[in-house]
């Protein structure tokens, strides 16, 4: 087994055949294909968190006989279920895979695949909308349903599919922040101990988006039969730190994505690596990124599945930038949220690779003319932009590690893969 030095990489999104890449790591947070959560409801309203996405209703949910009633079409569409309405009999029929649910207005009996289920609250018409008991519907589709009494949130979570890579991954609640302050220009701010604030963007991954993502990877692997293709999906901070009612459900989404991959794409369980190190400083509190330490644990997981040995952190030169107010500071400026985040500023800890390299950035796929010389980590930027000098469409790095390996990283998370010898 060759030792994989933590840091050395080649990153590009051009034709990898031109670069004779031997390995591709395709790692994405899915920022471009995931649906953003809407703001949680005010204290008097009821919200529904469906697998990390707050559902938007055109009529507010209500409580009848201690059961939350919601507009039927929104919840059925969230599942991707078919739904039909018979106006004459006022019968609702919904189908999802091999499950059929039949309900009727003012009837306390629901049928699931022919089996009668008693309802504490019958479907009803309120205004011009049909309302149905959300717990009964969701549990009939196999979901877990819980109630966050403090924030008045119904939490619906689909159980993860069995997947050999993700099986055994358990997301605990021990590191979650207890309190929700509010949402400021799309940034949800949570706190504990009255002074420790954490800004998070609550994001969920729909099945449709996940399947599209897997389709892209499968096509890449098919077009590049001589290239090893890896896939690692990285959760946001909310998966581990958001309060109970605001939890995301990346575990279920990632399991579905990995089950949609062909056998020539190797999945990486980064979520378990992050959960195992959630007691460490792996996500910024004032920025939407993970920390360099967080990406290090993903790097170790990649090394494990690619038959390489990861370098230890003490093999690198650790540096810090203090008093960092990240991207959420800009987003929340002129709001109360800014003041909270300003009081909980971050520290940027980064690890310098100990190899010689040359780097260039390009603005076009052909790589005919570089736009500028690049540093893998440039402390002069003083912000998260120190990594790869911010967002550039294409970067190419060549090191003095002469072992014939190369690597292409698309939507890079592993800035540190730099002295590993690819």
């Amino acid at each position: 087994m060759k030792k994989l030095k933590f840091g050395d990489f080649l990153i590009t999104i051009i034709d990898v055949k031109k670069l004779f890449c031997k390995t591709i790591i395709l790692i994405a947070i899915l920022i471009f294909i995931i649906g953003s959560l809407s703001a949680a409801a005010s204290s008097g309203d009821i919200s529904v968190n469906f697998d990390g996405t707050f559902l938007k209703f055109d009529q507010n949910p209500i409580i009848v006989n201690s059961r939350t009633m919601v507009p039927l079409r929104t919840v059925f569409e969230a599942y991707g279920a078919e739904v039909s309405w018979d106006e004459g009999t006022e019968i609702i029929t919904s189908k999802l895979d091999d499950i059929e649910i039949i309900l009727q207005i003012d009837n306390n009996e629901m049928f699931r695949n022919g089996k009668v289920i008693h309802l504490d609250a019958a479907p009803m018409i309120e205004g011009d909308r049909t309302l149905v008991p959300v717990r009964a519907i969701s549990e009939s589709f196999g979901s877990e349903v819980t109630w966050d009494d403090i924030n008045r949130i119904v939490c619906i979570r689909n159980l993860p599919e069995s997947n050999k890579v993700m099986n055994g991954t358990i997301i605990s609640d021990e590191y979650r922040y207890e309190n929700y302050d509010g949402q400021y220009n799309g940034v949800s701010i949570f706190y504990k101990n009255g002074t420790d604030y954490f800004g998070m963007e609550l994001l969920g991954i729909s099945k449709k988006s996940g399947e599209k993502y897997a389709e892209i990877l499968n096509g890449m692997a098919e077009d590049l039969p001589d290239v090893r293709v890896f896939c690692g999906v990285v959760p946001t901070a909310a998966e581990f730190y958001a309060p109970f009612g605001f939890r995301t459900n990346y575990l279920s989404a990632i399991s579905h994505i990995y089950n949609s991959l062909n056998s020539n794409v190797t999945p990486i369980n980064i979520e378990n690596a992050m959960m195992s190190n959630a007691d460490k400083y792996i996500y910024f509190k004032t920025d939407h990124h993970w920390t360099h330490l967080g990406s290090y644990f993903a790097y170790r997981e990649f090394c494990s599945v690619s038959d390489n040995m990861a370098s230890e952190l003490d093999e690198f030169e650790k540096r810090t930038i203090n008093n960092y107010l990240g991207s959420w500071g800009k987003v929340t400026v002129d709001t109360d949220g800014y003041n909270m985040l300003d009081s909980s500023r971050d520290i940027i800890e980064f690890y310098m690779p100990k190899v010689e390299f040359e780097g260039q950035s390009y603005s076009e796929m052909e790589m005919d003319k570089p736009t500028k010389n690049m540093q893998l980590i440039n402390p002069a930027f003083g912000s998260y932009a120190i990594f790869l000098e911010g967002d550039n469409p294409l970067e190419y790095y060549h090191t003095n590690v002469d072992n014939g390996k190369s690597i292409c990283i698309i939507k890079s998370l592993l800035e540190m893969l730099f002295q590993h010898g690819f």
Side-chain angles (χ1 to χ4, degrees):
M1 179 182 291
K2 293 184 178 180
K3 187 169 185 178
L4 184 60
K5 291 288 187 177
F6 169 48
D8 179 27
F9 73 90
L10 176 154
I11 176 169
T12 178
I13 55 172
I14 69 165
D15 183 353
V16 291
K17 293 181 180 179
K18 176 178 178 181
L19 295 178
F20 304 104
C21 288
K22 302 299 182 183
T23 306
I24 286 181
I25 305 176
L26 187 53
I27 303 179
I29 311 178
L30 298 180
I31 291 300
F32 298 108
I33 63 173
I34 47 187
S36 176
L37 284 115
S38 63
S42 63
S43 59
D45 294 330
I46 299 169
S47 301
V48 178
N49 179 346
F50 183 90
D51 262 352
T53 298
F54 279 88
L55 300 183
K56 296 180 180 180
F57 300 102
D58 53 10
Q59 181 169 313
N60 288 335
I62 62 174
I63 293 180
V64 177
N65 293 337
S66 300
R67 292 292 178 259
T68 302
M69 309 292 288
V70 300
L72 74 88
R73 192 164 296 276
T74 302
V75 69
F76 284 128
E77 287 179 350
Y79 279 102
E82 299 177 5
V83 60
S84 62
W85 163 257
D86 187 316
E87 187 172 356
T89 60
E90 296 186 324
I91 289 178
I92 306 151
T93 303
S94 179
K95 295 182 179 180
L96 177 65
D97 299 328
D98 58 349
I99 299 173
E100 181 183 67
I101 296 174
I102 299 176
L103 307 100
Q104 187 176 34
I105 298 300
D106 296 328
N107 190 335
N108 286 85
E109 291 185 341
M110 178 179 74
F111 293 85
R112 181 187 186 275
N113 290 347
K115 181 179 178 180
V116 177
I117 298 174
H118 179 76
L119 302 175
D120 295 325
M124 58 188 294
I125 295 178
E126 181 78 8
D128 59 350
R129 291 289 179 267
T130 299
L131 306 185
V132 294
V134 65
R135 177 182 289 273
I137 300 299
S138 297
E139 289 181 344
S140 292
F141 284 144
S143 301
E144 174 188 83
V145 184
T146 53
W147 169 252
D148 179 346
D149 190 53
I150 296 176
N151 297 295
R152 294 175 63 79
I153 300 173
V154 177
C155 306
I156 303 172
R157 293 171 65 83
N158 286 314
L159 300 179
E161 303 169 6
S162 178
N163 177 270
K164 64 180 182 180
V165 173
M166 301 301 293
N167 286 347
T169 302
I170 298 175
I171 307 303
S172 70
D173 296 327
E174 59 185 308
Y175 303 112
R176 299 193 180 281
Y177 279 53
E178 299 97 346
N179 306 296
Y180 171 66
D181 182 86
Q183 191 177 84
Y184 302 88
N185 294 338
V187 180
S188 296
I189 296 182
F190 307 98
Y191 66 94
K192 61 182 178 181
N193 303 325
T195 58
D196 184 0
Y197 295 96
F198 202 141
M200 305 181 203
E201 186 177 22
L202 306 176
L203 300 169
I205 306 174
S206 70
K207 280 191 172 183
K208 183 178 180 180
S209 295
E211 289 166 359
K212 180 62 177 178
Y213 173 64
E215 181 183 343
I216 294 171
L217 270 67
N218 291 335
M220 176 177 290
E222 183 177 347
D223 291 340
L224 302 167
D226 298 326
V227 176
R228 299 177 67 190
V229 180
F230 296 83
C231 168
V233 181
V234 185
T236 64
E239 183 82 341
F240 314 106
Y241 302 109
F244 180 82
F246 297 84
R247 294 176 301 168
T248 51
N249 192 7
Y250 283 96
L251 180 57
S252 179
I254 294 172
S255 296
H256 182 68
I257 291 171
Y258 288 177
N259 281 337
S260 301
L261 295 174
N262 293 338
S263 60
N264 51 356
V265 179
T266 302
I268 308 172
N269 188 349
I270 294 177
E271 176 151 14
N272 189 61
M274 302 304 285
M275 183 69 250
S276 299
N277 293 281
D279 60 328
K280 302 178 179 65
Y281 191 33
I282 58 175
Y283 289 95
F284 291 110
K285 297 180 181 180
T286 69
D287 195 290
H288 65 285
H289 295 99
W290 59 0
T291 65
H292 212 198
L293 180 63
S295 67
Y296 170 76
F297 294 119
Y299 149 81
R300 293 187 66 91
E301 196 64 25
F302 164 71
C303 291
S304 175
V305 301
S306 61
D307 300 322
N308 290 281
M309 292 182 64
S311 298
E312 299 300 326
L313 280 174
D314 59 12
E315 298 182 45
F316 304 89
E317 180 186 354
K318 180 180 177 180
R319 300 185 191 178
T320 60
I321 296 175
N322 296 313
N323 202 36
Y324 172 58
L325 180 62
S327 57
W328 296 146
K330 295 179 180 179
V331 174
T332 61
V333 69
D334 297 327
T335 72
D336 291 339
Y338 177 89
N339 297 328
M340 298 175 202
L341 296 176
D342 188 45
S343 69
S344 296
R345 289 188 173 228
D346 285 297
I347 298 174
I348 300 178
E349 300 174 335
F350 56 99
Y351 303 84
M352 300 293 292
K354 298 179 180 179
V355 297
E356 297 179 7
F357 66 91
E358 295 179 352
Q360 294 85 33
S361 66
Y362 297 84
S363 59
E364 34 71 34
M365 300 289 285
E366 291 74 23
M367 294 178 64
D368 292 330
K369 184 179 180 180
T371 56
K372 62 178 178 178
N373 294 327
M374 300 292 297
Q375 293 291 321
L376 178 73
I377 301 177
N378 190 342
F381 278 76
S383 67
Y384 194 83
I386 68 172
F387 302 112
L388 305 175
E389 300 191 13
D391 292 327
N392 296 280
L394 189 157
E395 298 180 26
Y396 176 90
Y397 292 87
H398 179 74
T399 76
N400 63 345
V401 182
D402 187 18
N403 61 6
K405 292 185 177 182
S406 59
I407 186 170
C408 173
I409 304 178
I410 301 178
K411 189 56 184 176
S412 167
L413 305 183
L414 299 181
E415 292 87 353
M416 303 188 232
L417 275 168
F418 206 69
Q419 61 185 38
H420 55 52
F422 275 91

